[in-house]
Amino acid sequence: MDLTDPATLRKVFESHGKGLYNLAYRLLGDRQWAEDMLQETFVRAYTRADTFRAGGQVSTWLYRICINLCYDHLRARKYRAMASLDAPISASSESTPQTWSATLAGNTPPAAESAEKRDTERCVRELIDDLPERKKTVALVRQDHGMTVQEIAEVLGLTARTVQNCLRRAKHKLYFGLKQAGLAPAMA
């Protein structure tokens, strides 16, 4: 497969772009950065097409590039002082917005969702964000992309057994985190 051919690269983008964007978004938690990582993934695929092994799966190679770019970004973000729209406003009272992004929100009320569902979703997001990088990536790739354990192992360069252990430990941590918050489902 010649990834330096624009038509081929477009086909690869059309078939894998959405999944790569979703992965980057789940790892980074920011739509703009996810778009940037998606774009950089395909720039790297184009400029480093000679490193693609013939006979390998393009999807595995692209996911590996995307994951590495996201990890690099997350590591760099730790060392940069960035102003976040989600940062708390220091002088906020009950009547003023709690974050900078809330000051930008329109007057449209949020969709009518139950408070319990929102709490559970928030709690799950926080618990997933607190997972170590490898466990978080394995869990997100499995959940969002429906990859098998073997496919995840190939993408991440791990053994299938390591992937299974990461999944088990991530599920365990999520369950007990939800249980501690009073949101865990009853055991079957």
Side-chain angles (χ1 to χ4, degrees):
M1 176 174 286
D2 182 19
L3 293 172
T4 59
D5 175 39
T8 303
L9 196 61
R10 174 170 289 287
K11 287 179 185 175
V12 170
F13 176 81
E14 289 170 355
S15 62
H16 299 292
K18 187 175 182 179
L20 289 166
Y21 169 81
N22 288 335
L23 174 64
Y25 176 68
R26 293 296 304 264
L27 287 172
L28 301 174
D30 183 277
R31 293 185 192 284
Q32 188 64 45
W33 281 112
E35 289 174 7
D36 288 350
M37 292 303 121
L38 176 64
Q39 182 177 6
E40 184 62 25
T41 297
F42 281 95
V43 167
R44 294 246 176 121
Y46 179 78
T47 59
R48 298 181 184 167
D50 57 323
T51 64
F52 176 67
R53 288 185 304 220
Q57 288 187 357
V58 175
S59 61
T60 302
W61 186 59
L62 289 173
Y63 275 86
R64 183 77 250 165
I65 292 171
C66 184
I67 289 168
N68 286 340
L69 287 169
C70 290
Y71 281 174
D72 290 346
H73 174 77
L74 290 170
R75 279 190 286 272
R77 187 162 59 181
K78 288 180 183 177
Y79 299 105
R80 282 191 300 241
M82 294 175 50
S84 171
L85 289 177
D86 292 325
I89 299 173
S90 57
S92 64
S93 66
E94 291 301 316
S95 62
T96 61
Q98 301 295 316
T99 62
W100 291 109
S101 61
T103 63
L104 303 174
N107 293 331
T108 312
E113 293 181 3
S114 71
E116 184 177 337
K117 182 178 178 187
R118 286 193 310 266
D119 288 345
T120 303
E121 289 172 354
R122 179 191 47 77
C123 187
V124 168
R125 273 194 307 273
E126 289 173 359
L127 289 169
I128 288 174
D129 288 344
D130 288 342
L131 290 171
E133 274 184 9
R134 185 191 305 181
K135 289 182 184 100
K136 178 179 177 180
T137 303
V138 167
L140 291 175
V141 170
R142 174 69 172 206
Q143 181 65 35
D144 294 346
H145 302 282
M147 290 185 177
T148 65
V149 169
Q150 190 60 42
E151 290 171 332
I152 296 169
E154 289 175 26
V155 167
L156 299 179
L158 303 170
T159 65
R161 182 73 175 171
T162 301
V163 170
Q164 289 172 336
N165 285 333
C166 286
L167 282 171
R168 182 180 47 79
R169 289 178 180 145
K171 287 177 184 178
H172 184 266
K173 186 167 182 168
L174 289 173
Y175 174 77
F176 284 102
L178 288 170
K179 185 174 181 177
Q180 186 176 12
L183 299 169
M187 292 292 281

